[in-house]
Short mmCIF file of all heavy atoms in Angstrom, two decimals:
data_model
loop_
_atom_site.label_atom_id
_atom_site.label_comp_id
_atom_site.label_asym_id
_atom_site.label_seq_id
_atom_site.Cartn_x
_atom_site.Cartn_y
_atom_site.Cartn_z
N MET A 1 0.84 -1.17 0.00
CA MET A 1 0.00 0.00 0.00
C MET A 1 0.89 1.24 0.00
O MET A 1 1.81 1.37 0.79
CB MET A 1 -0.88 -0.03 1.25
CG MET A 1 -1.79 1.13 1.32
SD MET A 1 -2.82 1.28 2.81
CE MET A 1 -3.21 -0.34 3.29
N ASN A 2 0.60 2.18 -0.89
CA ASN A 2 1.39 3.40 -1.01
C ASN A 2 0.58 4.58 -0.50
O ASN A 2 -0.36 5.02 -1.14
CB ASN A 2 1.77 3.61 -2.48
CG ASN A 2 2.67 4.81 -2.67
OD1 ASN A 2 3.15 5.39 -1.71
ND2 ASN A 2 2.88 5.18 -3.91
N MET A 3 0.93 5.08 0.68
CA MET A 3 0.24 6.23 1.25
C MET A 3 1.19 7.43 1.28
O MET A 3 2.34 7.28 1.66
CB MET A 3 -0.24 5.95 2.66
CG MET A 3 -1.38 4.97 2.72
SD MET A 3 -2.23 5.11 4.27
CE MET A 3 -1.51 3.79 5.19
N GLN A 4 0.67 8.55 0.86
CA GLN A 4 1.46 9.76 0.94
C GLN A 4 1.10 10.50 2.21
O GLN A 4 -0.08 10.69 2.52
CB GLN A 4 1.20 10.65 -0.26
CG GLN A 4 1.71 10.06 -1.55
CD GLN A 4 1.46 11.01 -2.70
OE1 GLN A 4 0.63 11.90 -2.63
NE2 GLN A 4 2.19 10.81 -3.78
N HIS A 5 2.10 10.92 2.94
CA HIS A 5 1.89 11.65 4.19
C HIS A 5 2.16 13.13 3.94
O HIS A 5 3.20 13.48 3.40
CB HIS A 5 2.82 11.12 5.28
CG HIS A 5 2.71 11.87 6.56
ND1 HIS A 5 1.60 11.79 7.36
CD2 HIS A 5 3.56 12.72 7.17
CE1 HIS A 5 1.78 12.56 8.41
NE2 HIS A 5 2.96 13.14 8.32
N LYS A 6 1.22 13.96 4.33
CA LYS A 6 1.41 15.41 4.21
C LYS A 6 1.43 15.99 5.61
O LYS A 6 0.57 15.72 6.42
CB LYS A 6 0.29 16.04 3.41
CG LYS A 6 0.29 15.65 1.96
CD LYS A 6 -0.75 16.40 1.18
CE LYS A 6 -0.69 16.00 -0.27
NZ LYS A 6 -1.62 16.73 -1.09
N ASP A 7 2.46 16.79 5.87
CA ASP A 7 2.53 17.48 7.14
C ASP A 7 1.50 18.60 7.15
O ASP A 7 1.24 19.22 6.13
CB ASP A 7 3.92 18.07 7.35
CG ASP A 7 4.98 17.00 7.51
OD1 ASP A 7 4.65 15.92 8.03
OD2 ASP A 7 6.13 17.23 7.11
N GLY A 8 0.95 18.85 8.32
CA GLY A 8 -0.03 19.91 8.40
C GLY A 8 -0.12 20.52 9.78
O GLY A 8 0.32 19.94 10.76
N VAL A 9 -0.70 21.70 9.79
CA VAL A 9 -0.88 22.45 11.02
C VAL A 9 -2.29 23.03 11.01
O VAL A 9 -2.76 23.51 9.98
CB VAL A 9 0.13 23.61 11.12
CG1 VAL A 9 -0.14 24.48 12.32
CG2 VAL A 9 1.55 23.09 11.15
N SER A 10 -2.95 22.97 12.16
CA SER A 10 -4.22 23.65 12.34
C SER A 10 -4.03 24.75 13.37
O SER A 10 -3.51 24.51 14.45
CB SER A 10 -5.30 22.68 12.84
OG SER A 10 -5.58 21.72 11.87
N VAL A 11 -4.47 25.94 13.03
CA VAL A 11 -4.42 27.07 13.95
C VAL A 11 -5.85 27.37 14.34
O VAL A 11 -6.69 27.64 13.47
CB VAL A 11 -3.77 28.31 13.29
CG1 VAL A 11 -3.77 29.49 14.25
CG2 VAL A 11 -2.37 27.98 12.81
N ILE A 12 -6.15 27.30 15.62
CA ILE A 12 -7.51 27.55 16.12
C ILE A 12 -7.52 28.88 16.84
O ILE A 12 -6.74 29.11 17.77
CB ILE A 12 -7.96 26.41 17.06
CG1 ILE A 12 -7.88 25.08 16.32
CG2 ILE A 12 -9.36 26.69 17.60
CD1 ILE A 12 -8.08 23.87 17.19
N ILE A 13 -8.42 29.77 16.40
CA ILE A 13 -8.50 31.10 16.96
C ILE A 13 -9.90 31.33 17.53
O ILE A 13 -10.85 31.57 16.78
CB ILE A 13 -8.20 32.18 15.89
CG1 ILE A 13 -6.86 31.93 15.23
CG2 ILE A 13 -8.27 33.57 16.51
CD1 ILE A 13 -6.61 32.80 14.02
N PRO A 14 -10.05 31.26 18.86
CA PRO A 14 -11.33 31.64 19.47
C PRO A 14 -11.39 33.17 19.57
O PRO A 14 -10.38 33.82 19.87
CB PRO A 14 -11.29 30.99 20.85
CG PRO A 14 -9.85 30.82 21.15
CD PRO A 14 -9.12 30.72 19.83
N THR A 15 -12.55 33.77 19.32
CA THR A 15 -12.63 35.23 19.35
C THR A 15 -13.99 35.71 19.84
O THR A 15 -15.01 35.05 19.63
CB THR A 15 -12.31 35.82 17.96
OG1 THR A 15 -12.32 37.25 18.05
CG2 THR A 15 -13.28 35.37 16.91
N PHE A 16 -13.99 36.86 20.48
CA PHE A 16 -15.20 37.53 20.93
C PHE A 16 -14.94 39.03 20.92
O PHE A 16 -14.10 39.53 21.67
CB PHE A 16 -15.60 37.07 22.33
CG PHE A 16 -16.84 37.76 22.85
CD1 PHE A 16 -18.09 37.43 22.35
CD2 PHE A 16 -16.74 38.74 23.81
CE1 PHE A 16 -19.22 38.07 22.81
CE2 PHE A 16 -17.87 39.39 24.28
CZ PHE A 16 -19.11 39.05 23.78
N ASN A 17 -15.61 39.75 20.04
CA ASN A 17 -15.46 41.20 19.92
C ASN A 17 -14.02 41.64 19.70
O ASN A 17 -13.54 42.59 20.31
CB ASN A 17 -16.04 41.91 21.14
CG ASN A 17 -17.54 41.86 21.18
OD1 ASN A 17 -18.19 41.70 20.15
ND2 ASN A 17 -18.11 41.96 22.36
N ARG A 18 -13.31 40.97 18.82
CA ARG A 18 -11.91 41.30 18.55
C ARG A 18 -11.62 41.32 17.05
O ARG A 18 -10.57 40.87 16.61
CB ARG A 18 -10.97 40.30 19.23
CG ARG A 18 -11.05 40.27 20.73
CD ARG A 18 -10.36 41.50 21.29
NE ARG A 18 -10.25 41.42 22.73
CZ ARG A 18 -10.95 42.18 23.56
NH1 ARG A 18 -11.80 43.04 23.10
NH2 ARG A 18 -10.79 42.08 24.85
N ALA A 19 -12.53 41.85 16.26
CA ALA A 19 -12.35 41.85 14.81
C ALA A 19 -11.07 42.57 14.39
O ALA A 19 -10.39 42.13 13.46
CB ALA A 19 -13.56 42.47 14.11
N SER A 20 -10.71 43.65 15.06
CA SER A 20 -9.50 44.39 14.66
C SER A 20 -8.25 43.56 14.92
O SER A 20 -7.32 43.57 14.12
CB SER A 20 -9.42 45.72 15.40
OG SER A 20 -9.35 45.51 16.80
N TYR A 21 -8.22 42.83 16.03
CA TYR A 21 -7.08 41.96 16.30
C TYR A 21 -7.07 40.76 15.36
O TYR A 21 -6.01 40.31 14.93
CB TYR A 21 -7.10 41.44 17.75
CG TYR A 21 -6.90 42.51 18.78
CD1 TYR A 21 -7.93 42.90 19.62
CD2 TYR A 21 -5.66 43.15 18.92
CE1 TYR A 21 -7.75 43.88 20.57
CE2 TYR A 21 -5.47 44.14 19.86
CZ TYR A 21 -6.52 44.49 20.69
OH TYR A 21 -6.32 45.47 21.62
N LEU A 22 -8.25 40.26 15.03
CA LEU A 22 -8.35 39.12 14.12
C LEU A 22 -7.82 39.49 12.74
O LEU A 22 -7.14 38.68 12.10
CB LEU A 22 -9.79 38.63 14.02
CG LEU A 22 -10.01 37.43 13.12
CD1 LEU A 22 -9.28 36.21 13.67
CD2 LEU A 22 -11.49 37.15 12.97
N TYR A 23 -8.11 40.69 12.28
CA TYR A 23 -7.61 41.14 10.98
C TYR A 23 -6.09 41.02 10.93
O TYR A 23 -5.53 40.44 10.00
CB TYR A 23 -8.06 42.58 10.69
CG TYR A 23 -7.54 43.10 9.38
CD1 TYR A 23 -8.28 42.92 8.22
CD2 TYR A 23 -6.31 43.72 9.29
CE1 TYR A 23 -7.81 43.38 7.00
CE2 TYR A 23 -5.83 44.18 8.07
CZ TYR A 23 -6.58 44.01 6.93
OH TYR A 23 -6.10 44.44 5.73
N THR A 24 -5.42 41.57 11.93
CA THR A 24 -3.96 41.52 11.97
C THR A 24 -3.45 40.10 12.07
O THR A 24 -2.49 39.72 11.39
CB THR A 24 -3.43 42.36 13.16
OG1 THR A 24 -3.95 43.68 13.05
CG2 THR A 24 -1.92 42.40 13.18
N THR A 25 -4.09 39.30 12.90
CA THR A 25 -3.68 37.91 13.09
C THR A 25 -3.77 37.13 11.78
O THR A 25 -2.84 36.43 11.40
CB THR A 25 -4.54 37.23 14.17
OG1 THR A 25 -4.40 37.97 15.39
CG2 THR A 25 -4.13 35.80 14.39
N LEU A 26 -4.90 37.24 11.09
CA LEU A 26 -5.08 36.52 9.83
C LEU A 26 -4.12 37.03 8.76
O LEU A 26 -3.59 36.24 7.97
CB LEU A 26 -6.52 36.63 9.35
CG LEU A 26 -7.55 35.91 10.21
CD1 LEU A 26 -8.96 36.15 9.68
CD2 LEU A 26 -7.25 34.42 10.30
N LEU A 27 -3.90 38.33 8.73
CA LEU A 27 -2.96 38.90 7.77
C LEU A 27 -1.57 38.28 7.95
O LEU A 27 -0.94 37.83 6.98
CB LEU A 27 -2.88 40.41 7.94
CG LEU A 27 -1.95 41.16 7.00
CD1 LEU A 27 -2.44 41.06 5.56
CD2 LEU A 27 -1.85 42.62 7.43
N LEU A 28 -1.11 38.19 9.18
CA LEU A 28 0.21 37.62 9.44
C LEU A 28 0.25 36.12 9.16
O LEU A 28 1.22 35.62 8.58
CB LEU A 28 0.62 37.91 10.88
CG LEU A 28 0.86 39.39 11.19
CD1 LEU A 28 1.08 39.60 12.68
CD2 LEU A 28 2.03 39.93 10.40
N LEU A 29 -0.78 35.40 9.55
CA LEU A 29 -0.80 33.95 9.32
C LEU A 29 -0.83 33.61 7.84
O LEU A 29 -0.14 32.70 7.39
CB LEU A 29 -2.01 33.31 10.01
CG LEU A 29 -1.92 33.14 11.51
CD1 LEU A 29 -3.27 32.69 12.07
CD2 LEU A 29 -0.83 32.13 11.87
N LEU A 30 -1.62 34.33 7.08
CA LEU A 30 -1.74 34.02 5.65
C LEU A 30 -0.52 34.44 4.84
O LEU A 30 -0.35 34.01 3.71
CB LEU A 30 -3.00 34.67 5.08
CG LEU A 30 -4.30 34.03 5.59
CD1 LEU A 30 -5.50 34.86 5.17
CD2 LEU A 30 -4.44 32.60 5.10
N ASN A 31 0.34 35.26 5.41
CA ASN A 31 1.54 35.68 4.72
C ASN A 31 2.78 34.94 5.18
O ASN A 31 3.90 35.32 4.83
CB ASN A 31 1.75 37.20 4.85
CG ASN A 31 0.78 37.95 3.97
OD1 ASN A 31 0.70 37.70 2.79
ND2 ASN A 31 0.02 38.84 4.57
N GLN A 32 2.60 33.88 5.95
CA GLN A 32 3.73 33.06 6.38
C GLN A 32 4.30 32.29 5.20
O GLN A 32 3.56 31.81 4.35
CB GLN A 32 3.30 32.06 7.46
CG GLN A 32 2.96 32.69 8.78
CD GLN A 32 4.16 33.33 9.42
OE1 GLN A 32 5.19 32.70 9.57
NE2 GLN A 32 4.03 34.59 9.78
N GLN A 33 5.60 32.17 5.16
CA GLN A 33 6.26 31.37 4.13
C GLN A 33 6.38 29.93 4.65
O GLN A 33 6.87 29.71 5.76
CB GLN A 33 7.65 31.92 3.83
CG GLN A 33 7.64 33.33 3.28
CD GLN A 33 6.97 33.42 1.92
OE1 GLN A 33 7.15 32.55 1.07
NE2 GLN A 33 6.18 34.46 1.72
N THR A 34 5.92 28.97 3.87
CA THR A 34 6.03 27.56 4.24
C THR A 34 6.68 26.81 3.09
O THR A 34 6.65 27.26 1.95
CB THR A 34 4.65 26.94 4.53
OG1 THR A 34 3.86 26.98 3.34
CG2 THR A 34 3.92 27.67 5.64
N ASN A 35 7.23 25.64 3.43
CA ASN A 35 7.75 24.82 2.34
C ASN A 35 6.56 24.18 1.62
O ASN A 35 5.44 24.22 2.10
CB ASN A 35 8.74 23.78 2.86
CG ASN A 35 8.11 22.74 3.75
OD1 ASN A 35 6.90 22.52 3.70
ND2 ASN A 35 8.90 22.10 4.58
N GLY A 36 6.79 23.63 0.49
CA GLY A 36 5.70 23.11 -0.34
C GLY A 36 4.91 21.97 0.26
O GLY A 36 3.78 21.73 -0.14
N ASN A 37 5.46 21.25 1.24
CA ASN A 37 4.77 20.09 1.80
C ASN A 37 3.88 20.41 2.99
O ASN A 37 3.07 19.59 3.38
CB ASN A 37 5.79 19.04 2.24
CG ASN A 37 6.56 18.50 1.04
OD1 ASN A 37 6.03 18.42 -0.06
ND2 ASN A 37 7.80 18.14 1.25
N LEU A 38 4.02 21.58 3.58
CA LEU A 38 3.26 21.92 4.77
C LEU A 38 1.90 22.49 4.39
O LEU A 38 1.81 23.51 3.72
CB LEU A 38 4.02 22.92 5.64
CG LEU A 38 3.32 23.31 6.94
CD1 LEU A 38 3.22 22.10 7.86
CD2 LEU A 38 4.07 24.43 7.62
N GLN A 39 0.87 21.80 4.79
CA GLN A 39 -0.50 22.26 4.58
C GLN A 39 -0.99 22.86 5.89
O GLN A 39 -0.66 22.37 6.96
CB GLN A 39 -1.40 21.09 4.18
CG GLN A 39 -0.95 20.36 2.94
CD GLN A 39 -1.08 21.22 1.70
OE1 GLN A 39 -2.07 21.90 1.52
NE2 GLN A 39 -0.07 21.19 0.85
N TYR A 40 -1.81 23.91 5.81
CA TYR A 40 -2.34 24.46 7.04
C TYR A 40 -3.76 24.96 6.85
O TYR A 40 -4.18 25.31 5.76
CB TYR A 40 -1.45 25.55 7.61
CG TYR A 40 -1.38 26.83 6.81
CD1 TYR A 40 -2.17 27.92 7.17
CD2 TYR A 40 -0.51 26.97 5.74
CE1 TYR A 40 -2.10 29.10 6.47
CE2 TYR A 40 -0.43 28.14 5.04
CZ TYR A 40 -1.23 29.22 5.40
OH TYR A 40 -1.16 30.39 4.70
N LYS A 41 -4.50 24.92 7.95
CA LYS A 41 -5.87 25.41 8.02
C LYS A 41 -5.97 26.34 9.21
O LYS A 41 -5.30 26.15 10.22
CB LYS A 41 -6.88 24.27 8.22
CG LYS A 41 -7.02 23.35 7.04
CD LYS A 41 -7.87 24.00 5.99
CE LYS A 41 -8.07 23.03 4.83
NZ LYS A 41 -8.77 23.64 3.74
N ILE A 42 -6.80 27.35 9.08
CA ILE A 42 -7.07 28.27 10.18
C ILE A 42 -8.54 28.15 10.52
O ILE A 42 -9.40 28.30 9.64
CB ILE A 42 -6.73 29.71 9.78
CG1 ILE A 42 -5.25 29.82 9.37
CG2 ILE A 42 -7.07 30.67 10.91
CD1 ILE A 42 -4.88 31.13 8.71
N LEU A 43 -8.84 27.84 11.76
CA LEU A 43 -10.22 27.72 12.22
C LEU A 43 -10.52 28.91 13.12
O LEU A 43 -9.85 29.11 14.13
CB LEU A 43 -10.43 26.43 13.00
CG LEU A 43 -10.42 25.17 12.17
CD1 LEU A 43 -9.02 24.69 11.94
CD2 LEU A 43 -11.24 24.12 12.84
N VAL A 44 -11.52 29.70 12.76
CA VAL A 44 -11.93 30.84 13.56
C VAL A 44 -13.24 30.46 14.25
O VAL A 44 -14.24 30.15 13.59
CB VAL A 44 -12.12 32.11 12.70
CG1 VAL A 44 -12.63 33.26 13.55
CG2 VAL A 44 -10.82 32.48 12.01
N ILE A 45 -13.20 30.47 15.58
CA ILE A 45 -14.37 30.14 16.39
C ILE A 45 -14.88 31.45 16.96
O ILE A 45 -14.21 32.09 17.77
CB ILE A 45 -14.01 29.16 17.54
CG1 ILE A 45 -13.20 27.98 17.03
CG2 ILE A 45 -15.27 28.73 18.27
CD1 ILE A 45 -13.85 27.14 15.98
N ASP A 46 -16.09 31.85 16.57
CA ASP A 46 -16.62 33.16 16.94
C ASP A 46 -17.96 33.00 17.65
O ASP A 46 -18.72 32.09 17.37
CB ASP A 46 -16.80 33.99 15.67
CG ASP A 46 -17.32 35.38 15.94
OD1 ASP A 46 -17.03 35.95 17.00
OD2 ASP A 46 -18.03 35.90 15.06
N SER A 47 -18.24 33.93 18.54
CA SER A 47 -19.50 33.92 19.28
C SER A 47 -20.59 34.69 18.54
O SER A 47 -21.67 34.90 19.09
CB SER A 47 -19.29 34.54 20.66
OG SER A 47 -18.97 35.91 20.50
N GLY A 48 -20.32 35.12 17.32
CA GLY A 48 -21.30 35.90 16.57
C GLY A 48 -21.21 37.38 16.90
O GLY A 48 -22.17 38.12 16.77
N SER A 49 -20.05 37.80 17.31
CA SER A 49 -19.86 39.17 17.76
C SER A 49 -19.34 40.08 16.65
O SER A 49 -18.91 39.61 15.62
CB SER A 49 -18.86 39.18 18.92
OG SER A 49 -17.62 38.66 18.48
N ASP A 50 -19.36 41.35 16.86
CA ASP A 50 -18.86 42.44 16.01
C ASP A 50 -18.79 42.08 14.53
O ASP A 50 -19.68 41.45 13.99
CB ASP A 50 -17.56 43.02 16.54
CG ASP A 50 -16.38 42.05 16.65
OD1 ASP A 50 -16.42 41.01 15.98
OD2 ASP A 50 -15.42 42.35 17.37
N ASP A 51 -17.74 42.48 13.84
CA ASP A 51 -17.62 42.28 12.39
C ASP A 51 -16.67 41.16 12.03
O ASP A 51 -16.05 41.16 10.96
CB ASP A 51 -17.15 43.58 11.73
CG ASP A 51 -18.21 44.66 11.75
OD1 ASP A 51 -19.40 44.31 11.74
OD2 ASP A 51 -17.84 45.85 11.77
N THR A 52 -16.55 40.18 12.89
CA THR A 52 -15.64 39.07 12.64
C THR A 52 -15.95 38.35 11.34
O THR A 52 -15.05 38.01 10.58
CB THR A 52 -15.67 38.08 13.83
OG1 THR A 52 -15.23 38.78 14.99
CG2 THR A 52 -14.78 36.89 13.59
N ASP A 53 -17.23 38.14 11.05
CA ASP A 53 -17.61 37.46 9.82
C ASP A 53 -17.15 38.22 8.58
O ASP A 53 -16.72 37.63 7.60
CB ASP A 53 -19.11 37.20 9.77
CG ASP A 53 -19.94 38.47 9.88
OD1 ASP A 53 -19.44 39.49 10.42
OD2 ASP A 53 -21.10 38.45 9.42
N LYS A 54 -17.16 39.54 8.63
CA LYS A 54 -16.70 40.35 7.49
C LYS A 54 -15.19 40.24 7.31
O LYS A 54 -14.70 40.18 6.18
CB LYS A 54 -17.12 41.80 7.69
CG LYS A 54 -18.61 42.01 7.60
CD LYS A 54 -18.97 43.46 7.82
CE LYS A 54 -20.47 43.65 7.71
NZ LYS A 54 -21.16 43.62 8.96
N VAL A 55 -14.46 40.19 8.42
CA VAL A 55 -13.01 40.03 8.35
C VAL A 55 -12.65 38.70 7.71
O VAL A 55 -11.82 38.61 6.82
CB VAL A 55 -12.37 40.17 9.75
CG1 VAL A 55 -10.89 39.82 9.71
CG2 VAL A 55 -12.56 41.58 10.30
N VAL A 56 -13.32 37.63 8.17
CA VAL A 56 -13.06 36.30 7.62
C VAL A 56 -13.42 36.24 6.14
O VAL A 56 -12.67 35.70 5.33
CB VAL A 56 -13.81 35.22 8.44
CG1 VAL A 56 -13.69 33.86 7.77
CG2 VAL A 56 -13.28 35.16 9.87
N SER A 57 -14.55 36.82 5.78
CA SER A 57 -14.96 36.84 4.36
C SER A 57 -13.96 37.56 3.49
O SER A 57 -13.68 37.12 2.36
CB SER A 57 -16.33 37.51 4.22
OG SER A 57 -17.32 36.74 4.83
N PHE A 58 -13.41 38.65 3.98
CA PHE A 58 -12.40 39.41 3.24
C PHE A 58 -11.20 38.54 2.91
O PHE A 58 -10.73 38.49 1.77
CB PHE A 58 -11.97 40.63 4.07
CG PHE A 58 -10.81 41.38 3.48
CD1 PHE A 58 -10.99 42.24 2.40
CD2 PHE A 58 -9.53 41.24 4.00
CE1 PHE A 58 -9.91 42.93 1.85
CE2 PHE A 58 -8.46 41.92 3.47
CZ PHE A 58 -8.65 42.77 2.39
N PHE A 59 -10.70 37.80 3.91
CA PHE A 59 -9.51 36.97 3.69
C PHE A 59 -9.86 35.71 2.89
O PHE A 59 -9.04 35.24 2.11
CB PHE A 59 -8.84 36.62 5.01
CG PHE A 59 -8.06 37.76 5.58
CD1 PHE A 59 -8.55 38.49 6.64
CD2 PHE A 59 -6.84 38.13 5.03
CE1 PHE A 59 -7.84 39.56 7.16
CE2 PHE A 59 -6.12 39.20 5.54
CZ PHE A 59 -6.63 39.92 6.61
N ASN A 60 -11.06 35.17 3.06
CA ASN A 60 -11.47 34.00 2.28
C ASN A 60 -11.55 34.33 0.79
O ASN A 60 -11.31 33.48 -0.06
CB ASN A 60 -12.81 33.46 2.76
CG ASN A 60 -12.65 32.33 3.74
OD1 ASN A 60 -11.65 31.62 3.73
ND2 ASN A 60 -13.63 32.16 4.59
N ALA A 61 -11.91 35.56 0.47
CA ALA A 61 -11.98 35.97 -0.94
C ALA A 61 -10.59 36.01 -1.56
O ALA A 61 -10.42 35.73 -2.75
CB ALA A 61 -12.66 37.34 -1.05
N GLN A 62 -9.58 36.34 -0.76
CA GLN A 62 -8.21 36.42 -1.27
C GLN A 62 -7.52 35.08 -1.35
O GLN A 62 -6.78 34.82 -2.28
CB GLN A 62 -7.40 37.37 -0.39
CG GLN A 62 -7.88 38.80 -0.46
CD GLN A 62 -7.06 39.72 0.40
OE1 GLN A 62 -5.90 39.45 0.69
NE2 GLN A 62 -7.65 40.82 0.81
N LYS A 63 -7.74 34.25 -0.32
CA LYS A 63 -7.10 32.92 -0.27
C LYS A 63 -8.14 31.90 0.16
O LYS A 63 -8.21 31.50 1.31
CB LYS A 63 -5.92 32.92 0.71
CG LYS A 63 -4.77 33.78 0.24
CD LYS A 63 -3.54 33.55 1.08
CE LYS A 63 -2.38 34.34 0.52
NZ LYS A 63 -1.15 34.07 1.26
N PRO A 64 -8.98 31.47 -0.78
CA PRO A 64 -10.06 30.54 -0.43
C PRO A 64 -9.55 29.17 0.01
O PRO A 64 -8.50 28.71 -0.43
CB PRO A 64 -10.88 30.44 -1.72
CG PRO A 64 -10.02 30.98 -2.79
CD PRO A 64 -8.97 31.85 -2.18
N GLY A 65 -10.30 28.56 0.91
CA GLY A 65 -10.02 27.19 1.32
C GLY A 65 -9.08 27.04 2.48
O GLY A 65 -8.82 25.93 2.92
N ILE A 66 -8.56 28.13 3.02
CA ILE A 66 -7.61 28.02 4.15
C ILE A 66 -8.31 28.28 5.47
O ILE A 66 -8.06 27.60 6.45
CB ILE A 66 -6.42 28.98 3.95
CG1 ILE A 66 -5.63 28.56 2.73
CG2 ILE A 66 -5.53 28.98 5.20
CD1 ILE A 66 -4.48 29.49 2.38
N ILE A 67 -9.23 29.24 5.48
CA ILE A 67 -9.91 29.61 6.73
C ILE A 67 -11.27 28.94 6.80
O ILE A 67 -12.05 29.01 5.87
CB ILE A 67 -10.08 31.14 6.84
CG1 ILE A 67 -8.73 31.84 6.75
CG2 ILE A 67 -10.78 31.49 8.15
CD1 ILE A 67 -8.85 33.36 6.66
N MET A 68 -11.53 28.34 7.94
CA MET A 68 -12.86 27.78 8.22
C MET A 68 -13.47 28.61 9.33
O MET A 68 -12.81 28.90 10.32
CB MET A 68 -12.75 26.31 8.64
CG MET A 68 -12.16 25.44 7.55
SD MET A 68 -12.01 23.73 8.08
CE MET A 68 -13.71 23.26 8.06
N TYR A 69 -14.73 29.01 9.15
CA TYR A 69 -15.39 29.90 10.12
C TYR A 69 -16.57 29.19 10.72
O TYR A 69 -17.36 28.61 10.06
CB TYR A 69 -15.82 31.17 9.41
CG TYR A 69 -16.53 32.17 10.26
CD1 TYR A 69 -15.85 32.83 11.28
CD2 TYR A 69 -17.86 32.48 10.06
CE1 TYR A 69 -16.50 33.78 12.06
CE2 TYR A 69 -18.51 33.42 10.83
CZ TYR A 69 -17.83 34.07 11.83
OH TYR A 69 -18.47 35.01 12.60
#
């Protein structure tokens, strides 16, 4: 059996009324340089507060498939 192993990282970000901090955090995370084999996902856990959904949508439009909300 031939299985390919891919290294990966999950970043989990819980947030409540911190859209401005989330913007900066996502900006820095999405601009990290990784080698070609490292896959990563960002999970944003929100309580439905402030404009967090708009921040996530903004970054999802630029780099789809990395952030889960």
Side-chain angles (χ1 to χ4, degrees):
M1 181 184 326
N2 184 10
M3 289 200 262
Q4 292 182 340
H5 177 70
K6 292 186 179 183
D7 293 329
V9 174
S10 294
V11 178
I12 303 170
I13 305 171
T15 184
F16 179 74
N17 288 336
R18 297 285 188 250
S20 61
Y21 293 111
L22 181 64
Y23 178 90
T24 305
T25 302
L26 292 177
L27 180 66
L28 294 172
L29 284 172
L30 291 171
N31 285 306
Q32 290 295 308
Q33 298 295 320
T34 63
N35 66 22
N37 296 329
L38 182 66
Q39 302 293 317
Y40 68 98
K41 292 282 183 186
I42 301 169
L43 289 83
V44 177
I45 312 301
D46 181 32
S47 66
S49 61
D50 60 20
D51 290 331
T52 298
D53 58 336
K54 292 179 179 95
V55 172
V56 173
S57 293
F58 172 78
F59 284 104
N60 264 333
Q62 295 181 24
K63 293 191 176 183
I66 295 176
I67 303 172
M68 298 179 73
Y69 179 68

